[in-house]
DNA sequence: CGGTATCCAAAAGGATACTG
DNA sequence: CAGTATCCTTTTGGATACCG
């Protein structure tokens, strides 16, 4: 598999999309981000953030305090990706009526 | 899960992305599309095409001849989606250098 | 040719418990 | 608080065989 295809999979992955769009708004702490996204396990959020950090999309700022505090934000690269992903998400929202109509036509043609 | 999130997952799915980008060029027959994409099983290509057809992105034209001939093409809706997906794919290609640099820095910071 | 059906392997994902 | 580690379930994907 070509390497840039993998990056595309990271940013368009189930949780990657939601993380990028959320961080486009402002930086978030770990638990705060988890609550904002909703119904994501710690494991998947950790994994998604690590992948996006490794790809240079997300910046991780761990403050050496007790209790630990870690802030996540977008890099310049991440902001570019996030903006495109958000546009695609907004497009699907805007076109939802057409999609639902197409589905109904498709389903009705097959269950007479 | 909100419905438009599912549509987003369809168009950004592993094979969905490749199908949309390929069909942006011109219509394709089933086997022809399979060869063009490479290393996709019949099952996954069928499944992907059905999902995209149901969502109103892909048009399926089955000609009643022997041997069977089926042509797949993009609808207007599909062309809009495909263009955005292709742009995102082109962006990841363009930014690959930065991503690779970020990865190297990430990996080196963790294996001294 | 263009599928469908079945079975199986691999990967993704979640719940829980534990740690610095 | 922000993770790791472990275990288990669900989903995804591929190989194969068969059908119209």
């Amino acid at each position: 598999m070509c390497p840039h295809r993998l990056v595309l999979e990271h940013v368009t992955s189930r949780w990657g999309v939601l993380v990028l769009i959320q961080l486009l708004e402002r930086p978030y702490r770990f638990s705060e981000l988890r609550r904002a996204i909703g119904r994501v396990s710690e494991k998947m959020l950790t994994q998604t953030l690590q992948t996006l950090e490794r790809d240079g999309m997300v910046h991780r700022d761990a403050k050496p305090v007790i209790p630990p505090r870690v802030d996540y934000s977008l890099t310049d690269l991440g902001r570019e990706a996030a903006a495109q992903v958000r546009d695609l998400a907004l497009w699907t929202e805007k076109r939802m009526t057409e999609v639902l109509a197409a589905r109904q036509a498709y389903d009705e043609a097959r269950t007479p």
Side-chain angles (χ1 to χ4, degrees), chain A:
Chain A
M1 169 124 31
C2 34
H4 75 268
R5 174 86 182 95
L6 276 176
V7 179
L8 185 60
E9 287 192 5
H10 295 164
V11 306
T12 61
S13 69
R14 179 166 185 198
W15 304 118
V17 170
L18 299 181
V19 165
L20 288 174
I21 293 178
Q22 198 67 41
L23 290 183
L24 205 50
E25 185 193 325
R26 62 170 175 85
Y28 275 81
R29 298 182 61 179
F30 184 85
S31 309
E32 192 187 16
L33 186 56
R34 193 168 170 223
R35 277 190 301 274
I37 290 177
R39 283 185 219 85
V40 55
S41 64
E42 294 183 359
K43 179 183 164 183
M44 290 318 298
L45 186 55
T46 301
Q47 202 174 98
T48 303
L49 285 167
Q50 282 175 351
T51 303
L52 291 177
E53 187 195 357
R54 182 164 183 266
D55 282 353
M57 307 278 174
V58 162
H59 175 68
R60 181 177 185 274
D61 182 19
K63 292 177 171 76
V65 295
I66 294 178
R69 176 188 177 110
V70 183
D71 289 288
Y72 291 95
S73 56
L74 291 179
T75 61
D76 289 347
L77 195 62
R79 222 178 323 275
E80 284 186 44
Q84 293 193 66
V85 168
R86 180 206 51 198
D87 288 349
L88 194 53
L90 289 175
W91 179 84
T92 64
E93 233 173 316
K94 202 175 64 183
R95 295 299 190 178
M96 209 48 209
T97 313
E98 278 109 309
V99 172
L100 292 177
R103 279 191 194 164
Q104 199 169 345
Y106 182 95
D107 292 344
E108 278 172 3
R110 264 144 270 253
T111 56

